[in-house]
Amino acid sequence: DFLRTFRHRFLRQHPIDNYIVDFYCPSLKLVIEIDGEQHYSEEGKIYDSERDGILEAYSLTLLRIKNEEIMKDLENVILRIKKITEEISNHRK
């Protein structure tokens, strides 16, 4: 719900290249990925690394958040998102 009320528009399940990202903010070129257990296997790590490289080639900033962080400490997750969006906004001025 937080991203719906955020001042920057986020798109959910947005296609970029051959991938679907969890959340994408076009104005900030920010991708937020919510990582579940599958991301911690060796295959998952390799896949994510290749995928991140392709997304970063589009000059996108990636923020990975563990699913368990959202469940246990949503307040801190929101603060991290606010911080990175402010950093990107200030850098582009």
Side-chain angles (χ1 to χ4, degrees):
D1 277 340
F2 161 72
L3 291 178
R4 289 184 190 169
T5 62
F6 200 58
R7 69 181 183 140
H8 297 281
R9 183 170 179 238
F10 277 85
L11 306 172
R12 185 182 165 118
Q13 298 293 297
H14 186 73
I16 299 175
D17 202 283
N18 290 322
Y19 302 102
I20 304 290
V21 299
D22 292 329
F23 298 95
Y24 176 58
C25 178
S27 64
L28 297 175
K29 297 183 82 172
L30 173 64
V31 171
I32 299 176
E33 286 291 298
I34 310 302
D35 290 349
E37 291 297 318
Q38 72 276 15
H39 294 270
Y40 308 119
S41 70
E42 277 309 307
E43 292 140 359
K45 290 177 185 177
I46 291 168
Y47 175 82
D48 285 347
S49 177
E50 292 171 357
R51 182 177 189 266
D52 290 355
I54 290 169
L55 295 174
E56 288 168 351
Y58 287 96
S59 299
L60 301 175
T61 300
L62 275 73
L63 175 62
R64 289 193 168 277
I65 300 170
K66 293 180 182 178
N67 195 41
E68 71 182 49
E69 288 180 85
I70 293 170
M71 304 305 276
K72 293 180 179 178
D73 195 7
L74 182 59
E75 192 173 313
N76 241 350
V77 169
I78 290 170
L79 290 174
R80 283 177 54 204
I81 294 170
K82 284 183 178 180
K83 182 179 178 194
I84 196 167
T85 56
E86 288 171 11
E87 288 172 0
I88 294 169
S89 290
N90 291 337
H91 181 72
R92 296 204 173 147
K93 288 182 180 179

